[in-house]
Amino acid sequence: MKIERAEVIVTSPDRNFVTLKVTTDDGLVGLGDATLNGRELAVASYLADHVAPLLIGRDAHRIEDTWQFLYRGGYWRRGPVTMAAISAVDVALWDLKAKAANLPLYQLLGGASRTGLLAYGHASGRDLPELFDSVRSHLEQGYRAIRIQTGVPGLRAIYGIASNPTSEANKGVRYDHEPAQRAARPAEEDWDSRAYLRHVPGVFEAVRNEFGPELPLLHDAHHRLTPTQAAQLGKALEPYDLFWLEDCTPAENQESLRFVRQHTTTPLAIGEVLNSIWDYQTIITERLIDYVRSAVTHTGGITHLKRIMEFAALYQIKSGFHGPTDVSPVGMAAAAHLGLAIHNFGIQEYMKHGARTDAVFGQTFRFTDGLIHPGDEPGLGVSLDVDEAGRYPYQTAYLPYNRLADGTVHDW
Ligand code: EZ4
Ligand code: CO
């Protein structure tokens, strides 16, 4: 099974996606997702200019060898651009191997460990009535676990809230589903950690009073707090029994999580901006987190994320793979196959893609009664309509960023 072609397809149906399409001499096609939100073209160039030419003529069955060749052989290691590019190759090769074996990919990863994957969706609102409506609408869609993000009095636009984005083109677009905005420059938002810390515990109290004790609730602090503030928030949220508190403080400084852990039993999830097993070394071995948030797309593919999850399993740490709209249907399918197979699956983030995206990417992926299943077609179960993709050329789009009241740039 020799690789004959490797093409990079950039398309922007509802948002930008970067897809690697690998074709073998026996005519099989494998797909990999390399979408890096707001930096898509850097990964497209890395793949098209430096990786795709090296794939031609290689044996598509040699997944581990190809992974090591691209990681060690490239000399410059880790980092989101490199690891997204390696991921796209890795996932495309797993897709090909499973198609060659005529099996759904999860069968090659050890077979199903469960019947479906618990998924969580994003509810948000500027105020409580809007938030409650959003929670109800998610419950009606079948979600059995829900992330809660809320506006903060005094702050204009903030992360994760269905508000009017600042760019004209995106007015009225529901922001909880898509933080990136199509515009020449990133939108600017507000932040004030003290106002946020005063407001959030009351919101969770109200949500528990309205929806009861059973519903798993999640929350994302999106890297904005110091370790001291993160510890305060974790402690303040303990009465509301969160499923997890995500990215409570920036994770570059892994040791800072020790302090947070000493002060709160609220479960912690980290990792959507981490991209290698080395980024997890301290937080896994010291059990400073409960959930691994990496996406297959940004963490060197199935080969590497499976390795991270096996390492995490030694410490009773589970998966909570990143699944925002910037992970394409190809990346979501890869996450679903991996999540179905591993023993230490925890939960999967899931937001529906738009109708244009679903027309570009054919999918066997199912979301039924709050559970995800990748389907049973050979491979990933995703096809790419290249003509349909060609109708939507790349559009400049960025994630927003934050400034404090005095104009200081803050973590986003
Ligand atoms: O900001 O996907 O938990 N989900 C998140 C996302 C991320 C974006 C980054 O591309 O934090 O909304
Ligand atoms: Co997050």
Side-chain angles (χ1 to χ4, degrees):
M1 193 166 68
K2 273 201 164 40
I3 297 174
E4 214 168 66
R5 283 200 306 281
E7 299 153 274
V8 180
I9 291 123
V10 180
T11 181
S12 195
D14 300 293
R15 60 149 15 264
N16 293 315
F17 293 114
V18 179
T19 309
L20 180 70
K21 179 183 173 191
V22 178
T23 310
T24 64
D25 55 358
D26 39 15
L28 291 179
V29 169
L31 299 176
D33 176 26
T35 307
L36 187 62
N37 211 353
R39 297 291 186 270
E40 293 87 357
L41 299 183
V43 191
S45 160
Y46 190 113
L47 278 170
D49 296 330
H50 301 293
V51 173
L54 308 181
L55 296 178
I56 309 306
R58 288 183 72 86
D59 178 358
H61 274 306
R62 296 183 64 181
I63 297 177
E64 181 70 28
D65 182 70
T66 301
W67 197 97
Q68 301 297 345
F69 168 65
L70 294 176
Y71 184 81
R72 293 174 203 277
Y75 188 63
W76 307 107
R77 298 178 182 194
R78 302 160 63 177
V81 175
T82 298
M83 296 307 277
I86 294 177
S87 169
V89 176
D90 183 78
V91 171
L93 297 189
W94 276 110
D95 189 19
L96 284 167
K97 192 186 283 292
K99 280 174 179 160
N102 204 27
L103 289 170
L105 175 53
Y106 70 83
Q107 296 291 12
L108 302 193
L109 303 176
S113 287
R114 55 196 53 79
T115 52
L117 309 180
L118 176 67
Y120 75 90
H122 288 202
S124 80
R126 281 167 294 191
D127 51 25
L128 286 180
E130 212 176 80
L131 175 62
F132 287 4
D133 282 351
S134 177
V135 173
R136 276 187 209 105
S137 129
H138 281 81
L139 292 173
E140 280 158 20
Q141 293 169 56
Y143 281 103
R144 300 184 193 180
I146 297 183
R147 189 182 90 157
I148 300 290
Q149 300 298 130
T150 169
V152 174
L155 299 185
R156 216 175 19 121
I158 67 164
Y159 170 76
I161 309 306
S163 60
N164 279 334
T166 35
S167 79
E168 248 337 288
N170 288 278
K171 282 272 188 309
V173 173
R174 271 193 77 88
Y175 179 90
D176 48 354
H177 291 182
E178 183 48 78
Q181 296 173 37
R182 285 173 170 164
R185 288 167 192 282
E188 194 174 292
E189 298 187 342
D190 302 332
W191 191 245
D192 178 340
S193 294
R194 293 189 65 236
Y196 163 81
L197 289 169
R198 283 195 303 274
H199 186 65
V200 168
V203 169
F204 274 88
E205 184 184 13
V207 171
R208 276 286 173 230
N209 287 341
E210 181 72 14
F211 296 98
E214 273 185 45
L215 181 65
L217 299 177
L218 303 86
H219 180 66
D220 193 344
H222 227 253
H223 325 273
R224 286 156 193 223
L225 305 176
T226 65
T228 308
Q229 292 168 331
Q232 289 169 343
L233 180 62
K235 221 173 184 175
L237 293 176
E238 278 171 21
Y240 314 113
D241 187 27
L242 264 60
F243 187 95
W244 78 37
L245 171 61
E246 175 181 345
D247 289 330
C248 60
T249 191
E252 287 102 322
N253 183 5
Q254 299 188 20
E255 292 78 6
S256 67
L257 268 301
R258 287 180 192 142
F259 176 83
V260 182
R261 279 299 224 200
Q262 279 160 15
H263 290 280
T264 179
T265 56
T266 292
L268 302 179
I270 282 200
E272 67 184 53
V273 302
L274 306 184
N275 47 60
S276 88
I277 198 164
W278 306 105
D279 300 334
Y280 280 101
Q281 194 170 16
T282 302
I283 54 180
I284 287 181
T285 54
E286 297 191 23
R287 212 187 174 284
L288 300 178
I289 57 169
D290 297 277
Y291 295 94
V292 164
R293 282 289 287 146
S294 280
V296 172
T297 303
H298 303 133
T299 321
I302 286 177
T303 297
H304 198 60
L305 191 49
K306 188 165 193 290
R307 193 154 285 156
I308 293 173
M309 290 317 304
E310 280 160 4
F311 179 33
L314 299 179
Y315 300 88
Q316 292 169 282
I317 296 170
K318 294 187 176 187
S319 70
F321 300 149
H322 199 204
T325 42
D326 46 285
V327 168
S328 86
V330 176
M332 284 305 297
H337 283 280
L338 182 58
L340 197 64
I342 58 174
H343 177 254
N344 53 335
F345 170 81
I347 199 166
Q348 173 65 54
E349 183 181 27
Y350 176 54
M351 282 175 266
K352 289 168 187 160
H353 285 114
R356 282 185 290 259
T357 299
D358 290 342
V360 170
F361 296 95
Q363 297 156 59
T364 56
F365 187 96
R366 303 191 295 267
F367 176 67
T368 318
D369 297 329
L371 302 182
I372 286 170
H373 195 284
D376 282 298
E377 290 291 314
L380 285 170
V382 186
S383 59
L384 173 69
D385 184 331
V386 175
D387 295 332
E388 191 67 16
R391 293 179 55 205
Y392 306 107
Y394 170 80
Q395 292 195 33
T396 306
Y398 288 107
L399 289 165
Y401 79 109
N402 276 321
R403 285 186 191 275
L404 306 180
D406 70 357
T408 308
V409 173
H410 192 66
D411 296 290
W412 192 76

